[in-house]
Amino acid sequence: MKKEKIHLEYLLNATSKNILWGAISTPTGLENWFADKVVSDDKNVEFHWGKTEHRLAEIVAIRSFSFIRFRWQDDADGRDYFEMKMNYNELTGDYVLEIIDFAYPDETDDMRELWESQVAKLRRTCGF
């Protein structure tokens, strides 16, 4: 079964591109909302949840203050990735966080709910 691409957008009342970029691209920022512990050695990132769950990802593309794209190293399909992109809306002065991820058709609702809860945590921890 092939995974489907999921595209999500979240309006954030972020006033600082530095804070938002740090939250989605640095180990410390990701530890505040995405994973319990994040260890990075430039291109490879290790995400930990709880005491036993962890996954390795590779940063496959990055553009400062724009987007970061990860590929899970244990993913069978080498084309799947997850990406976090920040876009600034000049009219409102707000940022939109775009998330692209992939999930099997019977798991897309769960994936959307997971991202929804993670972004809610991002909003709380960063004051967005």
Side-chain angles (χ1 to χ4, degrees):
M1 187 181 300
K2 188 176 178 182
K3 290 184 177 180
E4 296 179 353
K5 187 176 189 178
I6 301 170
H7 183 246
L8 307 166
E9 291 187 4
Y10 300 95
L11 180 64
L12 302 175
N13 295 322
T15 55
S16 168
K17 71 178 183 177
N18 293 328
I19 293 172
L20 180 54
W21 180 246
I24 66 173
S25 68
T26 66
T28 303
L30 289 165
E31 285 177 356
N32 286 330
W33 68 280
F34 186 75
D36 296 330
K37 182 179 177 188
V38 180
V39 179
S40 174
D41 70 357
D42 200 31
K43 289 283 281 182
N44 296 305
V45 183
E46 191 172 346
F47 296 95
H48 296 264
W49 296 272
K51 293 184 180 186
T52 58
E53 187 178 353
H54 73 280
R55 288 184 80 183
L56 297 171
E58 177 185 4
I59 298 173
V60 292
I62 187 169
R63 183 179 306 139
S64 291
F65 300 101
S66 181
F67 74 93
I68 187 164
R69 180 180 294 178
F70 299 91
R71 178 170 296 123
W72 294 117
Q73 291 183 349
D74 62 358
D75 204 339
D77 187 345
R79 294 182 305 238
D80 295 344
Y81 60 90
F82 73 98
E83 178 178 282
M84 294 177 275
K85 179 187 283 188
M86 52 188 272
N87 292 313
Y88 182 70
N89 183 326
E90 291 185 21
L91 291 174
T92 64
D94 294 324
Y95 283 92
V96 174
L97 178 63
E98 286 184 58
I99 296 173
I100 297 172
D101 204 347
F102 290 81
Y104 292 109
D106 59 341
E107 296 175 350
T108 57
D109 289 341
D110 291 341
M111 184 66 72
R112 289 176 192 277
E113 286 180 25
L114 177 61
W115 278 112
E116 194 74 39
S117 70
Q118 294 302 101
V119 171
K121 189 173 179 183
L122 170 67
R123 284 185 169 119
R124 283 191 310 274
T125 58
C126 293
F128 299 148

